[in-house]
Structure formats: structure tokens, C-alpha cells
Amino acid sequence: MGLVTNDWKIDVLIAVSSLCVFLYYKIKSTYSYFEKRNIKYVKPTFLLGSTPDGALFRKHVAESWDRIYKNLENEKYVGIYHGILPMLMIRDPEYINDVLKTSFEHFPDRIFLVDGETNPLDQHLFFIKGNKWRYLRSKLSPLFSQVKLKWMYEEIENCASIFDGCMNELADGKDIDMKELLARCTTDVIASCAFGVEPQSLKDPNSEFRQIGKDFFDPNKINMLLTLLRLSIPRILLWLKIKTVTTKIRNFFLNTTQEILHQRRSTGIVRKDFVHLLLELKEKGTVQIDTTEVEKHETHVESTKENIELSDTLLAAQSFVFFVAGFETTSTTLYFTFYLLAKHKEIQERARKEVQEVKAKYGQFTFDSLKKLKFLNNCVSEALRLYPSVPILIRECAKDYTLPDGTFIEKGLNILIPNLSLHRDPKYFPEPLEFKPDRFENPPANGTYLPFGDGPRICIGKRFAEAVVTTILARSLDKYEFDLSPMDKREDVIQLNPRIITASPLHGLLLRINKLNCSS
């Protein structure tokens, strides 16, 4: 009997050892990807890739890739590995513009893989590919037109007014970190404009919407591991059926969307918001998409048809991404901009003067008056240059492609575009670490400034985010003065939190807020 038991243990040991040896040589083979193709690359550390500090969350992944970007300044592109995943970092703006716009049909998708059964909320615009993305993008884009945004501006103003009341209580000259207040504000804006829900988070920090947002962006070990897997071994999420959000978050968005859709159907209430657009899509049931119809800009496209079921679950996924992508990036943009204006008082005064002149002309802040705040908008653009909410872009090569210099890129290779590094490159932005809004008096060169991406997959909510940010800043500058806390000793750029893929400060940004005597 003992002999049988030992034989079993030996068999398991041999099997495990064989698997480890197989995986070792498989990974070593993967690490020869660029060498076999005669493409210059950065040698990887086993399992950790070309940037171990980023893989181990010691530095923000965009900052770790920035080191490679700077060390290879004469290269148009270079091969790197994130974990065991090969990526081609494109450094040249002409090539970047080609990937994102001119040759978009070769790079239409992001690298994320979606298992709709295990992770129904992953079936959203940011992740999905192919015809489903093209169809939903074309149907959801009208919500963010100038006409629809102007209609929604009343909801934005309502939330901004509540935010102003909160600011009035905090304007006592004491140190304050505005991060949580701004997150509650943008949570209310999106909950109101997208779901038709009355603003709650500014009045109640423990509101359900705010708690869900906190849970999703909590930099805990599980979320960090999911981020690492998404970027380095995305297929493992499918193989192991790994859930990418908690049951609490999944049920909240599935149930909330279904309840609101049911309420709208039963009451007949019509609001020109995100939910109404989803309801119109839902009425179509199932649609058949013809490739030749959604890819009219492309040539030599074979006609293929695909049925897409417009289920409540699919629509809930769109609500989910609009919420989680919108409130966090918008609040962080405001967070950085307030800090930079406090740090550069002469720029703050110029922005305030412009704001008060526009208000005097229009009597109040309106959607149309936002366009007149040219310098303030330049301040936001400059804040996004220094601290882009999405500091990296990744695209997957969908079909074989040849770079302008003749280098062959085969289907399946992932393309990395280092936004943060481009934004801080002195070749494109002289004195790149200085806060200089006037540099946006002229538009940046193509492929050098990408806070919202570019091309057909540019951020669908770009105009919405800009309207929210400008409104909050304008109303705040009109009534309050912002100063740095004496505790803030930073002289260089703000270090990013390595545990979060978006750009967020590692340490809090303390300000002092005072009421203006001349405020109206």
C-alpha cells in the first residue's frame, strides 16, 4: 500500500516538473519574438518583462515605460515585454497617427478579451471588438453631440450648484484634499445625466453610487492582479473564468439598469439621456450587422453578417463603463487642474479674470459661454498634457501591416503608445515639466497629444467630460481662491500611484481655499 502511495506522488511530481519545464521553455521562446524578427527590443527579466518596476507595482507602468522611451530617443519604435506579452512601443508621432487614424482598419481593437457569460459587464465599448463595437459606437455617439450635451447641461449645472454649496463650507483657509469631494461631484453628474438619478453623493458620502465607485477603483491586491493579467496575460482570464468585478458591482449595474429601463417603459417618461438611448436600442431586439455597412471607410472588405442581441445585460455594460470611466477620469482631471492653478497663482488670476468677464457678458454660465473660456480650456489641456487620465494606449494588430519604413507587423502583435512620454517630450513640448497653458494657443502636432486617444476610437465622452470640467472650474474660480498648503514641498512632477492604471497621485494634493471678497 505504501509503495502505491509513493508511486502516485512520484507521478504527480514528474507531471508538475514536466509542466514547469514546458512553461519555462515556452516563455523563453516568447522572449525571442523580436529577436527572430530583427526588431530592436529591450531585454526582459524572466516573467517580469522589460520593466520589472512596473510589473511589480513599484512604479506606475507609464512611468516605467517612460524610462525606455527616454533611453531610446532616436528610435521610431522598439520591442518591449510586459510580463511575457510582446508589445511594440511606437515612439514616432507620424507612425502613431498612422496606427490610430490613417491605417485604423489594421488596428481597430484594444487587447482586452471578453467572456460575456462570466463577466457580462465587460461587454462595453472600451473592451469589445469588431462589428459589435462599430454598431454600438455608431448608435451611442449621438448622445454626446453638441445638441444633446446642451440639453443635459441643466443637470450638469444642478450638480455644480450643489458642489458649490460644499465648497462654501470648506473655504476656511485650512488644508483640504479635494479628491473625495470631486469624485462625489462627478459621480452625481454621471448618475444624473446617464441614469436620471437625483444627485446623492455630494449630500451623502455613503451613497450607493459612490460606494460602488470606491470599490471598483480600490487599489487592493486583487484589483492589482487583475490589472497585471489584463495587460500581460489577457487570455488567462478566459481560460480560468476569472471574474473581473465583484458580485456586488455586477448586480448593482445589472439591476439598476433593468429597473430604470422598466420604469421608463411603464411610465412613458422621456428624458434625452443615456438611458433613453439604451431604451431605443433595446426596442430593436436583435440586429443583423453587415460588415460592408459598418466599414464603409475601408476597402476590400468581405461581406460578413453577424447577429447582435441587444439584451438588458449588454446595455447595462454600456452604463457601467460610462459610469466607471467617466467619474474617475473627470474628477482626477479636476484634481490635478485645481492643484496646478494653486501652484501657479498668476495663471489662476488670468483664468479667473477670463471667467468673470465671460460671466459678466452672459449674466451666468451657460453651455455656449463655455466655448468662450479659451484660456481656462488651455489650462485644462495643459493639465491633461502633464497628467493624462489614460497615460497609455494599447492597440492590437488585426491584420498584417507594414510600417512606413518597411518593417512587417504581423497580425496579433500589440502596439503600445506611451501618451505620458509623448506629452513630456521636449521635442514636441519645450520645457515639458513646466505648466504653460499658452502652448495650446496653437494645436499640437498630430500624434503628440493624446489624452483622449485619437481616430475612430477616440473617447466617446470627450465633449461631455470637457463640459463638466470647465463648468466646475469656472464656477469655482469665480468665487474662490486656491493656494497650496505650506505642507506641500513638491518641486517636480507629481508621482503617480503605481497601483492604479489611470493617472492618480500617489500622495494627496493639499490646498487651501478662501472665499473671494468680490465674488457675486
Side-chain angles (χ1 to χ4, degrees):
M1 186 69 178
L3 181 61
V4 173
T5 302
N6 288 335
D7 287 346
W8 176 81
K9 290 181 178 178
I10 292 172
D11 289 342
V12 171
L13 180 61
I14 292 172
V16 171
S17 299
S18 299
L19 178 60
C20 290
V21 171
F22 170 77
L23 290 175
Y24 174 80
Y25 283 103
K26 181 69 175 176
I27 293 171
K28 291 291 287 186
S29 175
T30 299
Y31 282 153
S32 65
Y33 182 93
F34 293 110
E35 185 177 1
K36 290 177 180 178
R37 291 157 179 80
N38 199 31
I39 295 175
K40 189 169 184 176
Y41 70 100
V42 179
K43 291 183 178 180
T45 299
F46 190 71
L47 292 181
L48 300 179
S50 302
T51 54
D53 284 349
L56 293 173
F57 300 99
R58 292 171 181 163
K59 289 182 69 71
H60 192 282
V61 65
E63 292 179 329
S64 67
W65 282 333
D66 185 56
R67 188 183 308 160
I68 293 175
Y69 180 94
K70 290 175 179 174
N71 289 340
L72 297 165
E73 61 178 335
N74 295 321
E75 303 296 330
K76 293 181 180 295
Y77 52 85
V78 62
I80 62 171
Y81 294 90
H82 187 68
I84 63 173
L85 189 69
M87 294 183 176
L88 190 70
M89 177 192 285
I90 305 289
R91 301 181 73 266
D92 184 85
E94 180 185 348
Y95 287 21
I96 290 171
N97 195 59
D98 202 40
V99 167
L100 296 179
K101 298 169 70 175
T102 311
S103 299
F104 175 76
E105 68 271 19
H106 290 268
F107 308 94
D109 300 321
R110 298 188 173 98
I111 69 172
F112 308 109
L113 301 175
V114 175
D115 178 353
E117 185 176 340
T118 304
N119 295 298
L121 293 183
D122 278 0
Q123 303 176 91
H124 53 67
L125 275 181
F126 196 82
F127 283 0
I128 58 175
K129 304 179 180 183
N131 289 339
K132 184 179 287 189
W133 170 76
R134 290 177 173 87
Y135 177 75
L136 286 176
R137 173 81 186 207
S138 68
K139 297 304 179 184
L140 295 178
S141 291
L143 177 66
F144 301 97
S145 66
Q146 291 285 357
V147 174
K148 295 288 175 58
L149 287 176
K150 190 171 183 178
W151 190 91
M152 285 193 290
Y153 189 69
E154 183 178 342
E155 298 298 327
I156 297 174
E157 267 287 290
N158 182 37
C159 294
S161 179
I162 299 172
F163 175 78
D164 182 44
C166 296
M167 287 279 285
N168 189 59
E169 296 178 5
L170 296 172
D172 57 4
K174 297 178 181 178
D175 288 351
I176 178 174
D177 187 330
M178 294 180 67
K179 183 175 179 59
E180 174 61 19
L181 179 63
L182 291 169
R184 285 159 50 197
C185 177
T186 55
T187 294
D188 276 353
V189 170
I190 293 179
S192 178
C193 293
F195 297 91
V197 175
E198 287 298 315
Q200 299 173 352
S201 297
L202 281 169
K203 299 174 183 177
D204 177 14
N206 297 314
S207 72
E208 196 168 11
F209 266 103
R210 179 62 193 128
Q211 291 307 308
I212 289 295
K214 279 184 176 180
D215 290 347
F216 183 79
F217 283 100
D218 182 12
N220 56 49
K221 292 181 180 178
I222 293 177
N223 284 341
M224 290 164 62
L225 177 60
L226 286 173
T227 298
L228 179 63
L229 293 178
R230 279 200 190 279
L231 293 179
S232 57
I233 323 175
R235 197 163 295 278
I236 201 171
L237 298 174
L238 300 186
W239 292 339
L240 301 182
K241 298 286 184 180
I242 296 174
K243 292 184 178 180
T244 54
V245 298
T246 64
T247 300
K248 176 184 176 182
I249 294 175
R250 182 189 65 197
N251 290 343
F252 175 80
F253 280 98
L254 292 177
N255 294 337
T256 300
T257 302
Q258 289 173 354
E259 288 171 7
I260 294 174
L261 289 173
H262 175 72
Q263 181 187 43
R264 295 286 180 89
R265 292 189 196 104
S266 60
T267 62
I269 293 175
V270 175
R271 284 177 52 126
K272 298 177 182 178
D273 57 11
F274 194 72
V275 171
H276 182 70
L277 201 56
L278 296 182
L279 193 59
E280 289 182 333
L281 285 177
K282 174 64 178 174
E283 291 173 355
K284 297 180 184 294
T286 300
V287 295
Q288 187 177 73
I289 307 303
D290 189 329
T291 305
T292 55
E293 293 178 0
V294 296
E295 299 184 1
K296 292 178 180 178
H297 66 286
E298 299 177 19
T299 58
H300 307 299
V301 176
E302 294 183 8
S303 177
T304 59
K305 296 183 183 296
E306 179 182 356
N307 289 327
I308 297 177
E309 181 186 358
L310 300 172
S311 63
D312 283 0
T313 300
L314 180 63
L315 301 183
Q318 313 319 310
S319 301
F320 166 72
V321 75
F322 184 27
F323 173 75
V324 297
F327 94 84
E328 172 68 14
T329 55
T330 307
S331 66
T332 303
T333 298
L334 281 163
Y335 193 38
F336 280 121
T337 307
F338 273 119
Y339 176 83
L340 290 167
L341 290 174
K343 188 174 183 179
H344 302 274
K345 293 297 294 290
E346 70 286 354
I347 294 176
Q348 182 184 155
E349 289 303 321
R350 279 184 63 189
R352 178 177 294 108
K353 181 180 179 181
E354 178 187 64
V355 163
Q356 293 177 339
E357 287 175 353
V358 167
K359 183 182 178 183
K361 180 177 180 179
Y362 286 84
Q364 59 181 346
F365 297 113
T366 65
F367 182 77
D368 291 329
S369 71
L370 298 183
K371 302 172 187 176
K372 306 298 181 182
L373 298 171
K374 187 175 180 180
F375 183 70
L376 181 59
N377 283 309
N378 287 348
C379 290
V380 176
S381 295
E382 178 70 341
L384 281 169
R385 182 190 67 80
L386 279 167
Y387 305 103
S389 301
V390 181
I392 54 173
L393 297 176
I394 302 178
R395 295 290 185 268
E396 180 183 12
C397 184
K399 54 185 178 180
D400 294 347
Y401 179 71
T402 302
L403 289 171
D405 69 351
T407 299
F408 178 71
I409 303 298
E410 63 187 280
K411 177 181 177 180
L413 180 62
N414 297 309
I415 307 298
L416 169 70
I417 299 171
N419 294 10
L420 184 77
S421 300
L422 289 160
H423 290 189
R424 298 180 182 180
D425 192 325
K427 286 189 294 186
Y428 316 124
F429 300 98
E431 298 179 281
L433 301 185
E434 296 296 320
F435 183 63
K436 293 187 172 185
D438 285 329
R439 71 172 90 236
F440 283 91
E441 283 297 307
N442 297 308
N446 287 336
T448 64
Y449 181 69
L450 305 163
F452 296 97
D454 205 352
R457 280 201 94 134
I458 193 171
C459 175
I460 194 173
K462 176 178 181 290
R463 289 175 175 174
F464 178 82
E466 290 172 338
V468 174
V469 168
T470 308
T471 299
I472 297 297
L473 286 172
R475 290 178 62 110
S476 299
L477 288 171
D478 180 48
K479 293 185 176 181
Y480 308 103
E481 182 179 31
F482 300 87
D483 293 287
L484 289 185
S485 163
M487 300 292 291
D488 187 278
K489 304 297 182 182
R490 274 176 283 242
E491 294 184 4
D492 298 324
V493 292
I494 300 164
Q495 186 178 356
L496 301 181
N497 188 340
R499 297 186 173 198
I500 303 175
I501 190 64
T502 54
S504 182
L506 178 58
H507 304 292
L509 308 177
L510 294 178
L511 303 181
R512 291 187 172 182
I513 309 171
N514 289 289
K515 298 175 185 178
L516 290 171
N517 294 328
C518 59
S519 63
S520 54

